[in-house]
């Protein structure tokens, strides 16, 4: 760590010493600054978030033991107006002469800037937490209520204020819980016979069970469970306040008898209320208005269609197939009323991306039936967008790109959406100044098409396997692009046929029936012009063995290719066991792999279980697993049709050897809310891709890399691994990846948050044709090559997104020899600085 670490520690110590001097600056005589809250439950200290959240008054927040926000607040002047008045508007003070050098507007702006800065200090800072006995008393009462709610009916709470000196004190809360009360007899009184019959069917799932501790939340959740079930069983008027629980503890030894009471329906008649039995309601009619707008609300209906019990009314010509509208609605004629079907209908119609949020209204009929009117306001059929960018990179001195996209809704009158986009760019390369070369010598063009069906598009009926409440959709995509003077000048074509559906609120399933990718390299001769690190290594070896003079370099591509062939054909003095021979072999192997054309015909399946309630949830888990199989269908067809193999013993389709592999990825993320805006998060990831059959390695686009702002942040993207190899390739990748990250997130000032993190992991080659021992995974012993990066970062929360900056330090670097890997580059000069949007996981 050395001098930089000592210097940083010294500066931090000086800052802490400075800030500690004025912590009591705004504490008046007779007041005490709250320094700590201690909660003792049955004489044992309790630091749980559940209990500490009951305390109304907290000490000032601290970072590394320093109350920074309190210090900022103390820097503000409480009487800023009078100070500014005396300093800048007092004619007897010579300082006011400053206005002789400024205009009146500039002078007032100067005064307001000082006033605004003072306000910023107050707003960003935190006022001293002065002990308030009323808040301490309220906290004690709230604690007693909490313990009462979890079955400790005899709980007693108190507090005491312990002075540390004349201006500081802490509060100690004492809680004596007593014995918990357990549920004993559970009875029921249900006034409506039909409700009693419906409740009997769901009684076994009750959250109120004999012998368990009394918990108020269980009774509330049981009320909600009963209400939800009955409203989904035809009871249109049933509400949660129809469910009551009576609790009796009189004469019982810490036992609780409970009675479930479900009242009849309350009807207001004049000034009085009558109780009548609940009835089962059914749906009589469903009317759909697919072109309803505010402007045409008073117009006459021009067209109507009936389909499968649905009545469709339009103010103009019907632009949707009746079946498409019917498939999106879960309310059906003669069905029993179910509240969940209203929610499903609204959600499904919104997900079509064809209508604005629907309006669903119910009208009661005299015969205990309901008539539903569904008003749909269509979105614009066509949406057209444009985008234009000016860029600069290490490839081009200047570049211009544009893109355009057209979205066509309801293209086949079945709520299908077609999205068509195109992109084009031109640029001037670093070599554009060469005489006779055109200035704009870089270009790229591409086009994409995506067609979305709001159902499973299949010749078979899948409604029983994937019912429509799972919001299924089918996506068909096609894309093509071509590059010139960019890398190896690729042409690529992709296409996919994809199904998506959600069996539950938290589970999403996705499958590509097929996903085809074809990549053709048009400028293979430029390989060493792109991968300069490999070319430099070849020149270094060629010079060392006297293949070329010291003042010359290999030509591209002829000289470099001839040198590789001579080395591997044993036409030089390099022997196969020489490290330089192995380096040339690796470079040749990598060149062949990255310059070959790719044909990938794959199918994949993804499972995601996301337990987040919303975007602001900070206590949840996400589990993802993905399986991909490529090349099996083509391999079987090649065998059936007896297709000949090439010189490398590989089948070819359209002159390209197709890839064959199996790939699996498992990803798990977990967040823990520790309270007070502290979040502990961790992530684990395993990915492996195994080539077989027609392949001996994995296509570059399907391999794994390590490093970067969302991976191991102490390394830049593609610079870590494989294994302990000291590769200097521009893009290091492999077919096995292990990684894990932990991150502690905490609040600093308002929307500014901090984080401390540890990232571990690496990539390796396994089950492929790489022979470099340092890069391959050969058992548990290879785990010693797992890299460790540590660091810290800042996050600024803009509500809609988070701007993130991280600094990662190489704590354990497997590229060094064993025994010299820890803290070898642990300094700011060797750190990696990352900027990203939103959290890394």
């Amino acid at each position: 760590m050395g001098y930089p670490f000592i210097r940083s520690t010294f500066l931090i110590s000086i800052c802490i010493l400075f800030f500690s001097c004025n912590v009591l600056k705004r504490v008046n005589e007779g007041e005490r600054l709250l320094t700590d809250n201690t909660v003792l439950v049955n004489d044992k200290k309790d630091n749980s978030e559940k209990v500490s959240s009951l305390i109304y008054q907290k000490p000032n927040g601290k970072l590394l033991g320093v109350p920074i926000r309190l210090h900022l607040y103390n820097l503000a002047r409480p009487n800023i107006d009078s100070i500014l008045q005396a300093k800048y508007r007092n004619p007897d003070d010579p300082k006011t002469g400053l206005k002789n050098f400024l205009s009146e507007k500039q002078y007032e702006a100067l005064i307001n800037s000082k006033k605004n800065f003072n306000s910023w200090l107050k707003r960003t800072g935190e006022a001293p937490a002065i002990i308030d006995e009323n808040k301490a008393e309220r906290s004690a009462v709230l604690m007693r209520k909490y313990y009462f709610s979890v079955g400790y009916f005899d709980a007693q709470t108190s507090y005491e204020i312990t002075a540390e000196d004349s201006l500081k004190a802490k509060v100690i809360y004492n809680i004596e819980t007593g014995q918990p009360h357990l549920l004993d007899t559970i009875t029921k009184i249900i006034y409506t016979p039909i409700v009693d019959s419906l409740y009997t069917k769901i009684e076994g799932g009750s959250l109120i069970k004999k012998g368990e501790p009394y918990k108020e939340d269980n009774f509330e959740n049981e009320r909600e469970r009963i209400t939800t079930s009955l409203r989904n069983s035809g009871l249109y008027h049933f509400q949660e306040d129809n469910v009551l629980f009576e609790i009796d503890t009189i004469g019982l030894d810490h036992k609780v008898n409970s009675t479930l009471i479900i009242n009849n329906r309350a009807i207001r008649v004049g000034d009085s209320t009558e109780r009548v039995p609940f009835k089962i309601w059914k749906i009589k009619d469903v009317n759909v208005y697919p072109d309803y707008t505010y402007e045409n609300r008073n117009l006459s209906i021009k067209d109507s269609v009936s389909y499968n019990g649905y009545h469709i009314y339009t103010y103009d010509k019907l632009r949707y197939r009746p079946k498409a509208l019917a498939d999106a609605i879960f309310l059906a004629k003669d069905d029993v009323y179910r509240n969940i079907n209203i929610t499903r209908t609204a959600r499904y119609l919104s997900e079509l991306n064809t209508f604005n949020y629907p309006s669903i209204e119910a009208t009661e009929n005299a015969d205990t039936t309901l008539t539903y009117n569904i008003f749909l306001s269509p979105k614009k059929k066509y949406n057209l967008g444009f985008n234009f960018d000016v860029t600069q990179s290490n490839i081009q001195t200047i570049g211009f790109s544009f893109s355009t996209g057209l979205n066509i809704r309801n293209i086949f009158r079945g709520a299908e959406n077609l999205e068509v986009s195109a992109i084009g760019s031109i640029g001037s390369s670093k070599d554009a100044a060469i005489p006779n070369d055109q200035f704009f010598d870089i270009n790229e063009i591409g086009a994409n098409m995506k067609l979305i069906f709001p159902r499973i598009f299949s010749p078979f009926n899948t409604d029983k396997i994937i019912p429509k409440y799972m919001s299924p959709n089918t996506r068909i995509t096609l894309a093509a692009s071509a590059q010139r003077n960019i890398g190896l000048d690729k042409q690529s074509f992709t296409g996919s046929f994809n199904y998506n559906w959600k069996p539950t609120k938290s589970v999403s399933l996705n499958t590509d029936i097929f996903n085809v990718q074809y990549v053709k390299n048009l400028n293979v001769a430029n390989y060493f012009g792109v991968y300069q690190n490999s070319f430099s290594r070849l020149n270094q070896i060629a010079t060392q063995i006297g293949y070329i003079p010291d003042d010359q370099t290999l030509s591209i591509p002829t000289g470099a290719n001839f040198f590789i062939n001579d080395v591997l054909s044993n036409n030089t003095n390099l022997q196969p066991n020489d490290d330089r021979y192995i380096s040339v072999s690796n470079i040749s192997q990598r060149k062949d792999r990255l310059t070959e054309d790719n044909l990938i015909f794959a199918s994949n399946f993804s499972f995601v279980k996301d337990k987040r309630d919303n975007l602001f949830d900070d206590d949840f888990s996400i589990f993802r697993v993905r399986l991909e199989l490529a090349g099996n269908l083509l391999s079987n067809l090649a065998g059936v049709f007896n297709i000949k193999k090439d010189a490398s013993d590989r089948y070819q389709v359209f002159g390209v050897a197709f890839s064959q592999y199996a790939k699996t990825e498992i990803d798990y993320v977990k967040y823990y809310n520790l309270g007070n805006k502290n979040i502990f998060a961790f992530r684990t990831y395993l990915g492996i891709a195994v080539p077989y059959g027609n392949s001996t390695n994995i296509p570059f686009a399907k391999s794994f890399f390590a490093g970067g702002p969302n991976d191991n942040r102490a390394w830049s993207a593609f610079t870590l691994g494989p294994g302990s190899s000291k590769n200097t390739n521009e893009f290091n990748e492999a077919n096995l990846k292990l990684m894990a990250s932990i991150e502690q997130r905490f609040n600093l000032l308002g929307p500014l948050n901090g984080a401390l993190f540890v990232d571990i992991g690496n990539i390796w080659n396994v089950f492929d044709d790489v022979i470099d021992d340092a890069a391959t995974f050969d058992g548990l012993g290879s785990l010693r090559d797992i890299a460790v990066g540590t660091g810290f970062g800042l996050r600024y929360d803009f509500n809609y997104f988070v701007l993130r900056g991280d600094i990662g330090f190489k704590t354990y670097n497997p590229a060094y020899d064993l025994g010299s890997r820890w803290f070898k580059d642990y300094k700011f000069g060797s750190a990696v600085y990352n900027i990203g949007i939103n959290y890394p996981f």
Side-chain angles (χ1 to χ4, degrees), residues 376-644:
L376 304 175
S377 176
K379 293 182 178 181
K380 292 182 179 179
K381 184 176 182 65
Y382 300 99
N383 270 0
L384 183 63
F386 293 94
N387 191 37
F388 180 79
D389 288 311
V390 179
T391 58
Q392 188 178 30
S393 69
N394 60 343
I395 298 176
Q396 57 186 14
T397 55
I398 190 170
F400 302 93
S401 66
F402 69 92
S403 61
T404 181
L406 175 65
N407 185 9
I408 307 175
R409 295 186 174 91
N410 192 40
I411 186 169
F412 302 128
R413 298 180 64 241
E416 305 90 355
N417 287 334
L418 175 65
E419 300 175 12
V420 180
S421 61
I423 183 172
S425 66
I426 57 174
S428 175
S429 72
K430 297 292 187 181
D431 297 327
I434 298 176
N436 301 323
D437 272 8
Q438 59 181 356
F439 183 74
F440 289 112
D441 59 341
I442 293 177
N443 62 68
E444 180 178 8
I445 58 172
N448 297 274
M449 185 278 290
K450 179 165 64 176
L451 180 60
I452 304 174
F453 295 87
R455 55 192 174 276
I456 296 296
F457 188 72
S458 167
F460 310 105
N461 189 341
T462 61
D463 290 346
K464 292 184 178 181
I465 303 173
I466 308 176
K468 64 181 182 179
Y469 75 81
M470 294 183 181
S471 301
N473 67 69
T474 303
R475 297 169 184 254
I476 301 174
T477 62
L478 294 173
S481 66
Q483 301 173 343
R484 177 173 175 266
N485 284 347
I486 302 177
L488 303 181
D489 294 355
K490 296 182 178 181
Q491 287 182 345
S492 64
F493 302 91
T494 62
S496 67
F497 189 92
N498 172 272
Y499 292 145
N500 294 274
W501 68 100
K502 289 179 65 70
T504 67
K505 180 182 178 181
S506 61
V507 174
S508 300
L509 300 177
N510 178 296
T511 182
D512 279 343
I513 302 302
F514 66 81
N515 188 311
V516 182
Q517 300 180 49
Y518 172 71
V519 177
K520 182 176 180 61
N521 297 301
L522 303 178
N523 190 11
V524 175
N526 192 39
Y527 177 82
F528 287 113
V530 175
Y531 297 94
Q532 288 285 324
N533 290 345
S534 296
F535 182 62
S536 297
R537 179 60 176 153
L538 283 182
N539 278 293
Q540 182 185 39
I541 297 172
T543 302
Q544 289 175 352
I545 67 174
Y547 189 86
I548 57 174
D550 292 346
D551 59 347
Q552 293 184 15
T553 60
L554 299 168
S555 62
I556 298 176
T558 305
N561 289 336
F562 276 152
F563 177 63
I564 291 174
N565 290 333
D566 284 343
V567 171
L568 300 183
S569 300
N570 297 318
N571 293 329
T572 67
N573 58 4
L574 289 178
Q575 299 301 314
N577 59 350
D578 192 311
D579 287 342
R580 292 171 296 183
Y581 182 98
I582 295 174
S583 292
V584 174
S585 176
N586 289 338
I587 290 172
S588 175
Q589 183 185 61
R590 180 176 172 85
K591 172 179 174 293
D592 292 342
R593 179 162 167 259
L594 296 185
T595 57
E596 71 175 355
D597 298 336
N598 292 133
L599 175 61
I600 304 172
F601 194 103
S603 298
N604 59 65
F605 176 79
S606 299
F607 172 92
V608 179
K609 187 169 187 177
D610 187 344
K611 292 189 175 181
R612 281 180 297 188
D613 291 331
N614 51 62
L615 291 176
F616 303 101
D617 191 2
D618 48 24
D619 199 325
F620 63 90
S621 65
I622 303 176
F623 175 72
R624 303 182 182 94
V625 62
R626 187 172 187 270
L627 173 64
E628 180 173 327
L629 298 173
N632 293 338
L633 177 61
L634 294 181
S635 180
N636 291 332
L637 291 176
V640 171
F641 292 101
N642 198 26
I643 296 176
K644 293 183 179 181

Side-chain angles (χ1 to χ4, degrees), residues 123-138:
R123 185 173 62 253
T124 306
E126 183 180 51
I130 306 300
I131 289 180
D132 185 334
E133 288 204 46
N134 288 330
K135 290 182 178 179
E137 176 65 32
R138 289 167 58 197

Side-chain angles (χ1 to χ4, degrees), residues 28 161 164 181 211 250 255 315 334 431 574 600 645 733 841:
N28 300 319
I161 299 174
E164 298 180 0
H181 283 64
I250 298 176
K255 298 289 181 67
Y315 298 92
D334 296 329
D431 297 327
L574 289 178
I600 304 172
K645 295 185 177 182
E733 40 75 43
F841 57 89

